[in-house]
Amino acid sequence: MSQDSDEDYMSASILKQVVDVRPGLSRSKRKRGVAQRLSKSSKKKSKQEKADEAREQALSVPLPCSNKGFSMLSKMGYKEGMGLGKQSDGRKIPVPIVFKNDKKGLGQKSFLDQKRVEKKQKETVAIDDFQRRKRDFFSRKALKGDLWKSQLACQQLDTQNGVDEPCECWFWPAKATQVTVDESSDEEIDEMEVDEQVSILTTYLRSEYFYCIWCGTSYEDRDDLALNCPGDSGESHE
C-alpha cells in the first residue's frame, strides 16, 4: 500500500485538497457576478446619449467648403470668417440649434420662465412691503414710548417748579390731566401726529428745564445742554 493511501482522510494534507463548498460562498459569488453585470450595464450609454454626443460633435465643427449653403455663399463673394450683409457686419456663425426632446408646446418654457420671474418680483414686493410695515410699526411704537417718557418728565418737572396745570392738555399723561378741553381742541390733538407731539414736547423740556429724555439728564444751562447732549432726536443718541 502506498504512503498516500495510508494517510488519514482527516489529515491536514487531505483537507487542503478539499474545495470549500459552503452555501454562503456560492451566494457571494452570485452577488459579485450580478454587481459586475450591473456596473457594466450602467457604463453603457443609451441611444439618446450617443445621439446627443454625435450631434454636439458635428455642431462643434465649422461648415466645410463642400456644404451646399457655404458653396452658395461663396459664389456670392462670401469668405470664411466674414459677417453677413452688405457691410459684412452681420452674423458670422450659423444660428444655434435648439433641440426639443419633450412633448410640451412651443414657447411653454419661455412662458413658464416669465411666470417665475413675475412670481419672484411679486414675492420681492411683498417682502419689501412687509419689512416697511414692520419698520413703521416699531418706529411708531418707539415714538409713543418717547412721548410717554416726555409726558412723565414734563409732569414731574412742572410739579417741582410749582406748575399746577400743563401748558397743553397733552403735555402730561392723560390720567394726570384734569383740564377740560372743548371739542375743537380734541380734534386738533387727534390730528396731530405722534412725532410732532414728541418734537414739540421735547423742545419745551429742553428750552424750559434743559432736560433731554434720551440722556435722562437735566443739564445746568443751555450751554451745558448744547455741549454734552448729542442732539435733539432719538437717532442722534443711538
Side-chain angles (χ1 to χ4, degrees), residues 81-101:
M82 292 176 55
L84 298 178
K86 187 175 181 180
Q87 304 297 331
S88 300
D89 55 354
R91 179 180 290 276
K92 295 182 179 180
I93 58 176
V95 178
I97 301 173
V98 179
F99 287 89
K100 193 174 185 311
N101 298 322

Side-chain angles (χ1 to χ4, degrees), residues 75-125:
K75 293 178 181 179
M76 292 184 286
Y78 176 79
K79 295 181 180 179
E80 187 176 357
M82 292 176 55
L84 298 178
K86 187 175 181 180
Q87 304 297 331
S88 300
D89 55 354
R91 179 180 290 276
K92 295 182 179 180
I93 58 176
V95 178
I97 301 173
V98 179
F99 287 89
K100 193 174 185 311
N101 298 322
D102 53 29
K103 296 182 180 180
K104 298 178 181 179
L106 294 175
Q108 186 185 33
K109 185 178 183 301
S110 59
F111 174 77
L112 294 177
D113 291 342
Q114 183 179 0
K115 285 293 183 182
R116 280 193 288 269
V117 171
E118 292 176 356
K119 183 180 179 181
K120 187 67 176 179
Q121 290 176 349
K122 290 181 180 179
E123 290 177 352
T124 304
V125 171

Side-chain angles (χ1 to χ4, degrees), residues 187-205:
E187 293 177 357
E188 291 177 359
I189 295 172
D190 293 338
E191 292 178 357
M192 189 179 298
E193 295 292 338
V194 179
D195 56 348
E196 186 178 355
Q197 291 179 333
V198 172
S199 177
I200 294 172
L201 188 50
T202 53
T203 302
Y204 170 78
L205 293 173

Side-chain angles (χ1 to χ4, degrees), residues 20-84:
D20 194 349
V21 291
R22 290 175 295 176
L25 183 62
S26 60
R27 185 160 53 249
S28 62
K29 286 184 177 180
R30 285 199 300 270
K31 288 182 178 180
R32 286 199 297 270
V34 172
Q36 291 175 357
R37 287 194 296 271
L38 289 175
S39 62
K40 290 180 180 179
S41 62
S42 61
K43 293 180 181 179
K44 293 181 179 178
K45 296 181 180 179
S46 63
K47 292 182 179 180
Q48 184 64 40
E49 291 176 345
K50 292 180 179 179
D52 293 340
E53 290 183 357
R55 181 172 60 248
E56 292 296 331
Q57 184 178 1
L59 292 175
S60 62
V61 179
L63 291 176
C65 299
S66 59
N67 182 270
K68 186 174 182 180
F70 187 86
S71 61
M72 292 175 64
L73 290 173
S74 300
K75 293 178 181 179
M76 292 184 286
Y78 176 79
K79 295 181 180 179
E80 187 176 357
M82 292 176 55
L84 298 178

